[in-house]
Structure formats: C-alpha cells, structure tokens
Amino acid sequence: MFYWLMKYVVIGPIVKAIFRPWVVGRRNVPVSGAAILASNHLSFVDSVFLPLMIDRPVAFLAKSDYFTGRGIRGWATRLFMKATGQLPIDRSGGKASEASLNTGLQVLGRGELLGIYPEGTRSPDGRLYRGRTGIARMALEAKVPVIPVIMVDTDTMMPIGTTLPRIARVGVVIGEPIDFSRYAGMENDRYILRSVVDEIMVALQRLGQQRYDDVYASTVKDRLPSSAEG
C-alpha cells in the first residue's frame, strides 16, 4: 500500500509533472510473472524513474548502508528506499553475497519483478562496464527472462556527488526479454554464468549505444581520487 501511495498519489505525479520522463518499449515488460530488469546504472535516481515508468512494482537490491543512516537525512533516505521498493542487502561478499542472491530469488519466487544493475555500482563516467555474474545465477536458478533496460540522461539530472537533482528530461528504453532456458541446470558453471552476463551486457550496449569497457566499474572507481568517486 505504501509503495502504491508513493508511486500513484504522493511522489509519482509530482516527479512526472516536473521532469516529464519518457519511455520506449513498455510493452516488453510482461503483465504478470517473474522477470529480471537488468539496467545500466548512471545515477542514484535510476531507481526512481525505472519503476515510475512501468505499471508493475519493481523491487531493487540496495546496499544496506542506505537503511542505517541517522538523523533527518538518514530518515529521509530510508523513507525514499521503502517508497521505491528497494530491499537492503549486504555487499561485503562471501556469505553476504549468498544472502543477497537468496533475497533476489525470493522476490522472483513470488512472481514479481526484480531490478538489478549488473555492473554492481554506478558508472563513474557514463560508460558501460563489465557485469557481475550474480544476475546470471538468479536468472538461471529462478528460470526467468532478463529484460535489458537503458536509463537515458539520468547522470545529467543527478551526477555522482550531487545531492539534489537538476531539472532535466530523462528517458527509459526497455528491450525485448532474453530467454536463457537453454542453460537450464547450469547455474553452477562459472563459464556459463559469464556467458550469460556477457550476453546481457551486449544487449545493453546495443540498446543504449554506450561505450563499453571490459573492466569492472568498481575497479575504475578505486583508481579515482576519493573526491571524484561520489
């Protein structure tokens, strides 16, 4: 109910009126049943505009730090995360990664939509980077299609390091679902997982025409001065 109120009554109408977002390919999202929305990640506001522009609720896996802040800012961040359907996960690796995987599988097991950023973090410079294999495991274990999604100009609206969005028109481009049923039962084969996620990243690159670099975005961020990471 809270998600519905925020999307259709409180926040959604105001955001649409101010920023006038557009969408292409909405028909590619199934009206029912589980699926993974695999999106590029340019800005913090990606998780606002993607669910806003489709008819079904979308659950995102967000780092748990967003839910533990203190003071007014921490309260506002938690409220925003809940309003946009985001679920807290621990990204520290190991058992935490397995728990994150299980959280995503629970969402898919309920027949819902799960939003994932395969790059694992926001792009530091607008390029598309190498995907992590967690999305591949979820797709194969849950036996669900993956729908490529491109966010357009969200980094212009709210670049990394800024706290308030600029007035800019952004868009969402949704591609056709990708079926990986040919890999059924191979979710523990790391070569298959890499093949699956690479296919997803190729679909994203073709859909959005971003420059692709075959390295992890987190590696690129680690090389930046701390003041430039955002």
Side-chain angles (χ1 to χ4, degrees), residues 1-16 52:
M1 177 62 73
F2 180 70
Y3 179 95
W4 187 90
L5 285 173
M6 291 297 106
K7 180 175 179 178
Y8 293 106
V9 180
V10 182
I11 296 178
I14 296 174
V15 171
K16 283 186 175 182
L52 186 63

Side-chain angles (χ1 to χ4, degrees), residues 15 26 31 63 91 111 175 224:
V15 171
R26 186 183 287 149
V31 296
K63 60 182 180 181
R91 294 183 176 178
L224 297 175

Side-chain angles (χ1 to χ4, degrees), residues 15-221:
V15 171
K16 283 186 175 182
I18 294 173
F19 298 104
R20 298 181 298 116
W22 53 269
V23 60
V24 174
R26 186 183 287 149
R27 61 178 177 78
N28 289 322
V29 179
V31 296
S32 63
I36 295 174
L37 300 178
S39 174
N40 65 332
H41 198 13
L42 301 175
S43 171
F44 180 77
V45 296
D46 292 336
S47 300
V48 177
F49 286 96
L50 176 50
L52 186 63
M53 300 309 292
I54 62 176
D55 297 328
R56 295 177 59 189
V58 183
F60 284 91
L61 302 182
K63 60 182 180 181
S64 57
D65 294 359
Y66 287 134
F67 294 82
T68 57
R70 297 182 178 180
I72 294 177
R73 183 173 180 178
W75 172 83
T77 301
R78 285 194 300 276
L79 181 65
F80 170 82
M81 290 292 157
K82 292 178 180 179
T84 53
Q86 303 199 42
L87 305 173
I89 61 168
D90 184 345
R91 294 183 176 178
S92 58
K95 292 184 178 179
S97 296
E98 195 67 25
S100 300
L101 175 72
N102 291 333
T103 299
L105 289 174
Q106 289 173 14
V107 172
L108 296 170
R110 296 194 295 265
E112 300 173 4
L113 296 178
L114 179 67
I116 298 180
Y117 302 113
E119 294 165 278
T121 187
R122 284 173 288 179
S123 171
D125 52 16
R127 299 180 186 182
L128 187 68
Y129 288 96
R130 197 172 201 230
R132 303 277 181 175
T133 56
I135 185 175
R137 281 193 61 189
M138 288 188 198
L140 297 189
E141 287 198 25
K143 300 178 176 61
V144 300
V146 176
I147 303 170
V149 177
I150 289 293
M151 306 304 298
V152 181
D153 291 334
T154 51
D155 53 340
T156 300
M157 171 185 288
M158 193 171 182
I160 290 178
T162 60
T163 56
L164 294 174
R166 304 167 181 170
I167 301 298
R169 198 174 186 203
V170 302
V172 181
V173 181
I174 305 172
E176 296 183 358
I178 306 173
D179 178 14
F180 292 109
S181 59
R182 62 189 182 279
Y183 296 125
M186 302 181 189
E187 59 270 13
N188 293 318
D189 187 320
R190 63 190 182 97
Y191 296 106
I192 293 296
L193 296 181
R194 174 48 54 190
S195 177
V196 167
V197 75
D198 284 349
E199 185 173 339
I200 293 170
M201 301 316 291
V202 167
L204 288 174
Q205 196 281 325
R206 289 176 176 171
L207 196 62
Q209 296 298 306
Q210 283 176 268
R211 176 175 171 180
Y212 177 77
D213 280 355
D214 195 29
V215 295
Y216 291 120
S218 57
T219 301
V220 176
K221 283 189 174 182

